[in-house]
Amino acid sequence: MTILTVQGLHAGYGVADVLRNIDFAVERGTIVALLGANGAGKTTTLRALSGLIPSRGVIKFAGTDLRQCSAARRVELGLAHVPQGRGTFAEFTVEENLAAGAYTAGSKRQIAQDMERWYEAFPRLAERRRQLAGSLSGGEQQMLALARALMSRPKLLLCDEPSLGLAPAITQEIFEIFRQLNQEHGMTLLIVEQNADLTLQFADTAYVMEAGEITLNGKASDLLSDEAVQQSYLGV
Ligand code: ATP
């Protein structure tokens, strides 16, 4: 079943559009990669989806046309955005950051239950629950950003360059967490990455962007095994 359908999407920051006529879809329960070079328009796509910048075209999410929905309403509907650079609150503790992510989640008891659930999935956050977010390592901050987004009980998690600034081993660990969220918790993920090779190993399907357009898409395993694709589109 399709959870997200994007058709004819245009978006930008001023007069000129950065995104030109973007079409793509995300199936429920899958991991989808959105790849492309620096400046291709990947971050702009995520911002348009979560309503942080205006856009034209169709964005249909879990049966709802998002065009009339504010960014806050989109979170309520189950769209969570983990921004590039993580966006955690450095002066607040891990626990306070998680609580901030729960503003749509209902009763105190539910919030406490959700928090315990994500502490189980992220034991390193559980150990550091009273520590300030600013004192965490880059990998731990990425985990916190993910867990905070999960506190809003999303149906779809949008992750912008999770590997940015992380050592390869830590990046691998973050991607293992994505797999766990997908397989054990049924989460659907749309991951924006410049690290194409690694992302394709974890994704089901992939879209490649160039200069504001989608120029290639397919099964991740097909793209990974196609040398011509790797060389001409992914710079591997
Ligand atoms: P990156 O990996 O660098 O984030 P990206 O594929 O996510 O690359 P975008 O950040 O979406 O690319 O940028 C696409 C284009 O939009 C670029 O040409 C960029 O200069 C422009 N752009 C991005 N943010 C803004 C902004 N706030 N105001 C004006 N132009 C912007």
Side-chain angles (χ1 to χ4, degrees):
M1 212 174 88
T2 308
I3 188 165
L4 176 73
T5 308
V6 175
Q7 281 168 343
L9 185 70
H10 292 257
Y13 300 92
V15 195
D17 282 337
V18 171
L19 304 182
R20 292 194 304 267
N21 210 21
I22 300 275
D23 292 335
F24 69 96
V26 174
E27 299 299 313
R28 197 181 285 271
T30 64
I31 300 180
V32 177
L34 186 57
L35 308 173
N38 218 324
K42 308 180 297 299
T43 295
T44 304
T45 304
L46 294 193
R47 286 189 183 142
L49 293 179
S50 49
L52 301 176
I53 57 168
S55 63
R56 304 189 310 284
V58 175
I59 306 174
K60 204 169 154 207
F61 173 68
T64 304
D65 181 344
L66 293 188
R67 257 175 297 191
Q68 304 302 325
C69 297
S70 66
R73 179 73 189 132
R74 294 179 201 209
V75 179
E76 285 171 8
L77 289 170
L79 198 59
H81 189 161
V82 183
Q84 197 168 7
R86 283 118 212 180
T88 52
F89 304 118
E91 302 302 322
F92 289 93
T93 64
V94 165
E95 192 126 318
E96 287 163 347
N97 269 276
L98 292 184
Y103 69 100
T104 57
S107 72
K108 271 193 176 165
R109 196 164 141 261
Q110 272 177 330
I111 292 172
Q113 276 175 357
D114 285 354
M115 222 180 257
E116 285 312 314
R117 180 177 181 211
W118 299 121
Y119 279 145
E120 257 173 53
F122 299 90
R124 277 160 66 179
L125 296 182
E127 289 162 19
R128 291 162 177 75
R129 60 176 86 190
R130 314 227 182 283
Q131 224 169 289
L132 295 185
S135 72
L136 301 179
S137 71
E140 289 160 359
Q141 286 192 21
Q142 183 61 56
M143 289 176 201
L144 178 58
L146 277 171
R148 186 182 61 179
L150 289 163
M151 289 296 292
S152 70
R153 301 191 158 196
K155 297 187 177 84
L156 172 62
L157 208 50
L158 309 174
C159 302
D160 198 350
E161 294 229 14
S163 78
L164 197 74
L166 301 183
I170 310 297
T171 300
Q172 185 79 28
E173 203 178 321
I174 295 293
F175 274 79
E176 298 291 351
I177 289 171
F178 289 145
R179 182 174 276 159
Q180 187 188 344
L181 290 174
N182 176 249
Q183 292 184 352
E184 292 171 23
H185 300 272
M187 191 60 59
T188 309
L189 293 119
L190 176 60
I191 303 174
V192 156
E193 260 297 337
Q194 285 194 47
N195 189 339
D197 219 29
L198 179 73
T199 311
L200 288 173
Q201 292 172 39
F202 286 85
D204 298 293
T205 54
Y207 293 86
V208 180
M209 288 189 80
E210 284 177 294
E213 294 179 67
I214 288 175
T215 48
L216 180 72
N217 71 84
K219 270 178 67 177
S221 54
D222 291 346
L223 300 192
L224 201 54
S225 60
D226 188 327
E227 264 181 45
V229 163
Q230 293 261 323
Q231 280 172 8
S232 51
Y233 288 95
L234 303 175
V236 176

